[in-house]
Amino acid sequence: MVTEEAANRQAKGRHESLSRTFILYTLISFGLLGFVFIGIFAKVLWDRELDQATTTTEALFLSAKEPLERAVWSINEESALQIVQGLLSLKAVESVWVETPDTGTYGVKSEIQNKNVIKYDLVSPAIYANSDKIGSVYFIIDRSVIYDQVVSVVTTTVLSIVIYLVMLGVILRAIFRRLIGIPLSSIVTYLQTPRLIEDPPRGELMPGRTDEIGILASSLQTMVGKRHADLKQIQDYQMNLEDLVTERTEQLKKVQEELIQADNLAALGALVAGVSHELNTPLGNGLIAATTITESTGHLKDKIQAEELTLDDLNAEISRIGDASNVIEKTLGRARELVQNFRQVAVDRQSEKRREFNVDHIIRETLATLQPSLKKTPYTVKLHLHANTVIDSYPGAVSQIITNLVENAVKHAYEDETNGVVEIETQVAASGHTTVTCKDYGCGIPEGHLKRLFEPFFTTKLGKGGSGLGMAIVYRLVTEVLGGQISVVSEVGTGTTFTIDLPPAVPASKTAA
């Protein structure tokens, strides 16, 4: 309640200040214009009264001129003084005297000799004969009388203007308060309403007003309504944000798992194709050797039936059959080795069962399955396996990591190169952890790309067969599945080294993806 009263007092104070300022400026403007008008009016009034006094004096003098000229001409001093006293009795005349060259001065001569003196010449009554000048009449207009008249009129006018301005101020204040002050105070009070945006008041702020104030009030209410709607929408977003983030996170994890599974299946497909191609050679050789044995046994059978078999023929065919048997044995052994490696890698990748295995053996088996693909490239993989240790982990994840690292080096490190070497090395650290290092001597990775290397979908081969998941899968398998750590060091033009640290056993909190 105190806050509302303080807000109302502030709004009233601002309203009164604006009203006082408006009225003050208005009255000052009218006052200045009034003073200019009074100055001009006083000057015009002064000039008019002075001209009127001069004209009146001149008219009276002209009526008394002939008698005065006769009195002066006849040297009738008493008559001349009477006429002078008569002219001096005029209200606007301050002083009158007559000067003649022969008889002296009639009346009291004023000591004031300036431009305010009005002079008229007197001539002899026989003007039509000789036009002789017999003297001069001097008048001084009483300016104090004119000044008093002008001051009286101006004072009355000033008082009228002051009364007018006071009444105008009162009327303007009432009009301003009615048309502007009260509406502005209502708008200020509306804007200072507590929780205005959260819970805006209902109803129209300025009903029936279509002028600028009404438009302003309507615009403010519209703006507050929009802010209220925006705030409500933001609050709804905040309430649903956590659920939305959780839902999107689950969807992202699901999509990522599906992409990783698809990548695994694609790798298995490539592995199957490579192994099938590799099996084709030993199986073909075995088929040729078996055909050779069949031909030899048929030849011996024909000789025996014809009783033409000799010792030399027997020895030759036995030697031929022995060579073919050796070929069959070697080719079937090679096929058996390829099938076993493929079966082990495929089973490990698909089943993702945790078991104990030798890290070096898994790496060798994985490289054996990659040989069909690597034979088609000018690149070679050198193994420096010195760990020879057994860990309790997920062999399929290790195989997938090695496959992705080798394929990444072939596709990116030695792009457009005619030869290249990838070195894989294993060692056992003093802590019992197994360190796996994959090193190439290719083009290297720019520093800006290193920070994003393990981000999903980050690839420099977008649109050229790169999915951007290879390194992301490696990072996830190392950190989330195997419970290890991975780091990378690279220098442009020198090469790249990936270092993986694997614990002897997967932590209990880690599970296969």
Side-chain angles (χ1 to χ4, degrees):
M1 185 64 182
V2 176
T3 304
E4 293 182 0
E5 292 179 355
N8 291 333
R9 286 197 299 271
Q10 292 177 359
K12 183 178 180 181
R14 281 192 293 270
H15 156 58
E16 292 180 351
S17 175
L18 181 61
S19 175
R20 284 196 299 266
T21 303
F22 172 76
I23 295 174
L24 181 62
Y25 279 121
T26 302
L27 293 181
I28 289 175
S29 300
F30 276 98
L32 292 176
L33 292 175
F35 281 117
V36 172
F37 166 76
I38 290 173
I40 297 174
F41 175 72
K43 179 65 170 60
V44 171
L45 183 61
W46 174 271
D47 292 340
R48 190 189 70 179
E49 292 295 328
L50 184 59
D51 290 343
Q52 185 177 359
T54 303
T55 302
T56 303
T57 302
E58 183 178 1
L60 292 175
F61 166 74
L62 291 176
S63 64
K65 180 179 179 182
E66 292 183 2
L68 182 60
E69 287 176 339
R70 285 193 297 268
V72 173
W73 173 260
S74 61
I75 312 177
N76 188 347
E77 182 178 356
E78 182 180 357
S79 177
L81 288 175
Q82 288 179 352
I83 295 173
V84 169
Q85 289 298 324
L87 293 174
L88 187 60
S89 64
L90 293 175
K91 185 178 180 180
V93 177
E94 179 180 352
S95 179
V96 179
W97 72 93
V98 178
E99 293 182 0
T100 64
D102 297 327
T103 58
T105 303
Y106 298 98
V108 181
K109 182 179 179 180
S110 177
E111 298 297 331
I112 302 175
Q113 300 292 329
N114 53 30
K115 62 180 181 179
N116 294 325
V117 177
I118 302 174
K119 177 183 177 183
Y120 298 100
D121 292 333
L122 299 176
V123 296
S124 62
I127 184 172
Y128 299 105
N130 48 27
S131 300
D132 291 336
K133 177 180 178 181
I134 60 174
S136 298
V137 180
Y138 295 90
F139 290 88
I140 296 179
I141 302 299
D142 191 355
R143 293 176 178 267
S144 62
V145 175
I146 300 175
Y147 175 78
D148 291 340
Q149 292 177 350
V150 171
V151 168
S152 177
V153 175
V154 170
T155 301
T156 303
T157 305
V158 169
L159 290 176
S160 301
I161 292 176
V162 170
I163 295 173
Y164 166 76
L165 290 178
V166 172
M167 295 179 63
L168 179 63
V170 173
I171 294 173
L172 285 178
R173 187 177 186 278
I175 294 175
F176 182 89
R177 188 171 183 276
R178 174 67 179 84
L179 297 180
I180 299 177
I182 295 177
L184 286 181
S185 297
S186 300
I187 291 175
V188 172
T189 304
Y190 173 79
L191 291 176
Q192 292 179 338
T193 302
R195 298 177 55 82
L196 175 63
I197 303 300
E198 293 83 351
D199 186 19
R202 300 293 185 267
E204 191 175 354
L205 181 59
M206 294 288 169
R209 290 289 294 262
T210 58
D211 55 4
E212 290 79 358
I213 298 294
I215 294 174
L216 174 62
S218 177
S219 299
L220 285 175
Q221 282 194 295
T222 301
M223 182 182 68
V224 170
K226 290 181 179 179
R227 299 291 81 81
H228 174 69
D230 294 341
L231 179 61
K232 188 175 181 181
Q233 188 175 15
I234 291 173
Q235 290 174 345
D236 293 339
Y237 282 152
Q238 289 176 341
M239 293 177 60
N240 298 328
L241 182 60
E242 185 175 353
D243 295 338
L244 184 63
V245 170
T246 302
E247 181 182 355
R248 293 293 185 268
T249 302
E250 293 298 327
Q251 291 179 355
L252 182 60
K253 287 183 178 180
K254 183 178 180 180
V255 171
Q256 188 173 0
E257 290 175 357
E258 291 176 353
L259 290 173
I260 292 174
Q261 185 66 23
D263 190 77
N264 288 337
L265 293 176
L268 282 175
L271 185 63
V272 169
V275 171
S276 299
H277 177 75
E278 190 70 14
L279 283 174
N280 187 57
T281 299
L283 292 179
N285 292 337
L287 179 61
I288 294 174
T291 303
T292 301
I293 293 175
T294 302
E295 291 178 353
S296 296
T297 54
H299 182 67
L300 288 175
K301 183 178 179 181
D302 293 339
K303 289 289 187 178
I304 292 173
Q305 290 178 354
E307 297 181 355
E308 296 177 355
L309 180 63
T310 63
L311 182 60
D312 293 336
D313 292 335
L314 180 61
N315 291 332
E317 294 301 330
I318 290 175
S319 176
R320 186 180 178 189
I321 291 173
D323 293 339
S325 298
N326 290 333
V327 170
I328 291 174
E329 182 180 1
K330 291 179 180 180
T331 56
L332 291 180
R334 174 59 179 166
R336 178 176 177 274
E337 180 182 357
L338 289 173
V339 170
Q340 285 180 343
N341 290 338
F342 170 71
R343 182 181 63 183
Q344 186 62 52
V345 172
V347 169
D348 286 339
R349 290 193 183 183
Q350 287 299 93
S351 64
E352 292 294 350
K353 290 182 180 179
R354 176 175 175 175
R355 65 180 178 86
E356 293 183 351
F357 61 92
N358 189 297
V359 177
D360 292 353
H361 293 173
I362 287 295
I363 294 176
R364 286 194 182 93
E365 291 174 357
T366 302
L367 263 296
T369 60
L370 294 177
Q371 284 302 320
S373 300
L374 293 175
K375 284 183 178 179
K376 300 177 182 179
T377 68
Y379 315 121
T380 58
V381 179
K382 293 184 178 181
L383 300 179
H384 307 286
L385 307 179
H386 308 299
N388 195 26
T389 182
V390 176
I391 64 174
D392 183 9
S393 189
Y394 296 94
V398 175
S399 177
Q400 181 70 50
I401 291 169
I402 297 301
T403 300
N404 286 11
L405 289 177
V406 172
E407 290 181 350
N408 182 74
V410 171
K411 290 180 180 179
H412 298 277
Y414 294 112
E415 183 181 13
D416 300 329
E417 296 290 336
T418 56
N419 57 77
V421 177
V422 180
E423 295 183 353
I424 299 178
E425 181 180 0
T426 61
Q427 290 181 346
V428 178
S431 61
H433 287 213
T434 302
T435 302
V436 181
T437 303
C438 181
K439 183 177 183 180
D440 65 68
Y441 303 91
C443 60
I445 303 173
E447 183 177 357
H449 292 172
L450 277 178
K451 299 177 181 180
R452 304 182 57 192
L453 183 62
F454 297 118
E455 291 182 7
F457 308 109
F458 173 73
T459 178
T460 58
K461 300 291 184 182
L462 186 62
K464 300 179 181 179
S467 65
L469 290 173
M471 290 298 99
I473 292 174
V474 169
Y475 181 81
R476 179 176 178 273
L477 292 175
V478 172
T479 58
E480 297 184 13
V481 177
L482 302 181
Q485 296 179 346
I486 182 171
S487 61
V488 57
V489 177
S490 182
E491 184 177 349
V492 176
T494 301
T496 304
T497 301
F498 290 91
T499 302
I500 300 173
D501 182 79
L502 299 177
V506 176
S509 60
K510 301 295 181 181
T511 58

